[in-house]
Amino acid sequence: MVEPNAVLGVVSVALGMVLSPGPNMMYLVSRSISQGRRAGIISLSGVVAGFLVYLTATNLGLAALFSTFPQVLTAIRLAGAGYLLWLAWKTIRPGGASVFTVRDVPHDPPPRLFAMGLMTNLLNPKIAILYISVIPQFVDIQAGNVLFQGVVLGLFQIAVAATVNLSIVLAAGSVAGFLAHRPAWLRAQRIAMGSMLGALALMLAFSRSASF
């Protein structure tokens, strides 16, 4: 059984992280702007495949680990909170380049677009820590079936990430043009996302249970 609060917590974290600039967003936006929406969608399919790899690998290992050592959840919760605080600072701090800046990238065939999307996600430390340190703290051992909870929560994260990234791919060209002459809007987005991540980090750090 997956608690609704755990689902809400994962969705909130996933939303905050997918909206903060990172390797996945930069790659998808650059492809969509330079090579078109079709290239962006193919690249996104590779990114989603990367999520599924993380989902499978981490849950098969974490299910056994948490069943044997439930106290590990506390350490994971604190590590996840620390990471979210670091990510919040990176998002808010001044001087960062816009993820919607047009970049010159070579045109690649679909198989290479998929492979590059997959590798971009697999090598993304942001996603690795999300699955290793953040999502697991929402698993409640008392609710039973740790593996099932981890898979369900991971699928919610993937659904949020895929939906938001697809919207970004489809709107990348228009957004890039809109933000090109509106730096205040870009700063507002960064501040809002950074504040959201910071709030989530504090909630994780001071929560006594495994879920909100």
Side-chain angles (χ1 to χ4, degrees):
M1 178 66 179
V2 180
E3 295 295 328
N5 285 343
V7 173
L8 179 60
V10 168
V11 169
S12 299
V13 170
L15 185 60
M17 295 185 75
V18 74
L19 289 176
S20 62
N24 288 345
M25 181 185 289
M26 292 179 182
Y27 176 69
L28 293 174
V29 169
S30 65
R31 281 297 169 188
S32 301
I33 293 176
S34 65
Q35 200 172 337
R37 290 177 177 174
R38 180 173 179 271
I41 292 173
I42 295 173
S43 299
L44 175 58
S45 66
V47 170
V48 171
F51 282 130
L52 293 173
V53 171
Y54 271 115
L55 174 67
T56 302
T58 56
N59 279 289
L60 288 179
L62 290 173
L65 176 65
F66 290 160
S67 296
T68 306
F69 303 104
Q71 66 272 22
V72 172
L73 280 173
T74 299
I76 288 177
R77 174 171 55 82
L78 295 176
Y83 173 69
L84 289 177
L85 281 175
W86 175 77
L87 187 60
W89 164 244
K90 285 194 65 177
T91 303
I92 293 177
R93 68 180 182 182
S98 171
V99 70
F100 289 98
T101 300
V102 179
R103 298 173 175 84
D104 292 327
V105 293
H107 284 221
D108 291 310
R112 181 169 175 77
L113 292 171
F114 178 88
M116 291 179 68
L118 172 63
M119 294 308 299
T120 297
N121 202 13
L122 290 179
L123 298 176
N124 185 354
K126 178 178 173 180
I127 305 306
I129 296 178
L130 172 66
Y131 272 89
I132 294 172
S133 298
V134 179
I135 292 180
Q137 66 83 34
F138 290 99
V139 173
D140 184 359
I141 295 179
Q142 302 303 319
N145 203 329
V146 172
L147 177 60
F148 175 76
Q149 291 183 66
V151 170
V152 171
L153 294 175
L155 289 175
F156 272 102
Q157 180 274 325
I158 293 174
V160 171
T163 301
V164 173
N165 279 321
L166 178 59
S167 300
I168 291 173
V169 164
L170 297 178
S174 300
V175 173
F178 177 83
L179 293 177
H181 304 292
R182 295 174 175 84
W185 285 74
L186 183 58
R187 286 195 299 271
Q189 180 268 338
R190 292 172 59 192
I191 292 173
M193 289 306 105
S195 299
M196 180 179 180
L197 289 169
L200 288 169
L202 294 177
M203 291 175 70
L204 290 184
F206 294 103
S207 174
R208 290 180 175 272
S209 61
S211 59
F212 296 138

